[in-house]
Amino acid sequence: MSYLADVRLRRERVPSFERYPFSLPAVRALHRLELHPSVTYFVGENGTGKSTLMEAIAVSLGFNAEGGSLRELSFSTRASHSELHTLIEPTPPRLQYGFFLRAESFFNLATEIERLDQEGWSAALPKRAIDYFGGRSLHEQSHGESFLATFQHKLHGGMLVLLDEPEAALSPLRQMSFLTLLHRHVRSGAQFLIASHSPIVLAYPDAWIYQFDEEGIRRVEYENTEHYRVYRDFLENRAASLRILLEDEE
C-alpha cells in the first residue's frame, strides 16, 4: 500500500513562473509526480530543486521544514522554507505517521530532543524522547552514528520517511549499512522519499529514480543517472580524469 501516492502542483495558483522557486526547471515542469509505494529517489545537481521540492512536500504534509516527526517533534528554529509548499497538493493530504530528516538541520533536531527531555515532555509517556532514538544523546555520537541510530530506532513500518541527503554524514561503508536498514524498514511497510547524490544510497533495487535537471523532472534507470556515470568513469579512468581536471592548474 502506498502511503503517499503522488504530489501535484496547483499551477493555476502560481503567481509567476519567473520568480523563485517557481522559476526552477523542476517546478516549472511539475504537474503530477507519482511516487513508488516503497522507495522513490530525487537525484540531480545542486540547485536543480530536488531539496526544495522535498521540503515543500514535507511542509505540505505537516512537517516543519527543519525535520522531525509529524507529532512530537514539530519544532522550528528558523523559518527559511519557500512558499512552494502552499501550492503542493499531496495524495492523501494527511498522514498519521511520518519522519523528515535533512542533513543540514540534523543538529537542530538533536538539540530539540534534548530540550524536550529536559522540560519533561514525556512525563505521561513510558519513554523519554531520546529513547525513541536509541537512548543515547545524538550529540554524544559521531554524525554518522547519530544518523544510523535515528534510522535504526526511530523509523518503523507504516510511516512515510523523507530523507534529504542522508549520505552527508555516512562513509561509504556506513552507506551500505544504511541500505540494509532501508530494506528492513521497507519490508516492514515503510515508504521512503530520498534526495541523494550517492550512487551507493541510490542503488536500492526496483526503486524509482527521478532526475532533476534543466529539462525538468524525468524517470531514469540507476545506470543512467549522472552520479553513477561520473563515479564509474572517474574510478575506471582515474589517471586520465585527473590529467583532464588538473591540466589547467598547471
Side-chain angles (χ1 to χ4, degrees), residues 63-80:
F63 295 96
N64 73 288
E66 294 179 65
S69 65
L70 281 171
R71 293 184 289 181
E72 70 270 16
L73 288 173
S74 57
F75 72 101
S76 180
T77 301
R78 179 175 181 269
S80 59

Side-chain angles (χ1 to χ4, degrees), residues 121-176:
W121 81 291
S122 58
L125 297 174
K127 292 185 178 182
R128 301 170 300 163
I130 193 59
D131 290 332
Y132 293 95
F133 293 80
R136 180 185 172 197
S137 171
L138 297 177
H139 282 312
E140 295 176 2
Q141 304 176 59
S142 72
H143 206 179
E145 288 174 331
S146 61
F147 263 47
L148 287 179
T150 300
F151 300 150
Q152 183 173 1
H153 298 288
K154 179 61 179 174
L155 310 185
H156 58 77
M159 71 188 316
L160 171 69
V161 182
L162 300 98
L163 303 175
D164 190 12
E165 300 185 12
E167 71 275 9
L170 303 177
S171 69
L173 188 60
R174 290 292 177 90
Q175 290 176 38
M176 294 179 190

Side-chain angles (χ1 to χ4, degrees), residues 8-219:
R8 302 169 188 264
L9 176 65
R10 302 189 67 176
R11 300 179 65 86
E12 73 282 1
R13 295 180 56 184
V14 172
S16 170
F17 281 105
E18 303 304 316
R19 193 177 84 193
Y20 180 87
F22 307 106
S23 58
L24 291 168
V27 180
R28 277 178 173 268
L30 180 60
H31 290 263
R32 172 181 176 269
L33 193 67
E34 185 180 2
L35 303 180
H36 190 281
S38 295
V39 181
T40 301
Y41 290 106
F42 289 172
V43 63
E45 278 298 318
N46 295 329
T48 53
K50 61 185 185 303
S51 291
T52 300
L53 180 57
M54 173 168 284
E55 176 187 82
I57 293 170
V59 176
S60 73
L61 287 166
F63 295 96
N64 73 288
E66 294 179 65
S69 65
L70 281 171
R71 293 184 289 181
E72 70 270 16
L73 288 173
S74 57
F75 72 101
S76 180
T77 301
R78 179 175 181 269
S80 59
H81 51 285
S82 72
E83 62 184 306
L84 177 59
H85 73 277
T86 63
L87 303 185
I88 291 293
E89 191 173 77
T91 305
R94 291 289 180 267
L95 297 170
Q96 186 175 9
Y97 300 109
F99 194 81
F100 178 33
L101 186 148
R102 56 190 319 177
E104 67 181 33
S105 56
F106 188 75
F107 178 91
N108 298 341
L109 173 64
T111 301
E112 175 67 7
I113 292 167
E114 290 190 347
R115 184 191 69 80
L116 289 172
D117 280 334
Q118 289 169 358
E119 295 183 359
W121 81 291
S122 58
L125 297 174
K127 292 185 178 182
R128 301 170 300 163
I130 193 59
D131 290 332
Y132 293 95
F133 293 80
R136 180 185 172 197
S137 171
L138 297 177
H139 282 312
E140 295 176 2
Q141 304 176 59
S142 72
H143 206 179
E145 288 174 331
S146 61
F147 263 47
L148 287 179
T150 300
F151 300 150
Q152 183 173 1
H153 298 288
K154 179 61 179 174
L155 310 185
H156 58 77
M159 71 188 316
L160 171 69
V161 182
L162 300 98
L163 303 175
D164 190 12
E165 300 185 12
E167 71 275 9
L170 303 177
S171 69
L173 188 60
R174 290 292 177 90
Q175 290 176 38
M176 294 179 190
S177 298
F178 166 79
L179 286 178
T180 299
L181 291 172
L182 174 65
H183 187 53
R184 181 186 305 169
H185 291 308
V186 166
R187 287 191 299 174
S188 71
Q191 182 190 20
F192 286 81
L193 176 57
I194 305 171
S196 178
H197 293 287
S198 167
I200 296 176
V201 171
L202 290 167
Y204 191 76
D206 302 320
W208 289 356
I209 302 176
Y210 284 105
Q211 177 84 41
F212 286 55
D213 56 30
E214 291 302 314
E215 302 300 319
I217 307 174
R218 56 194 170 88
R219 278 266 305 277

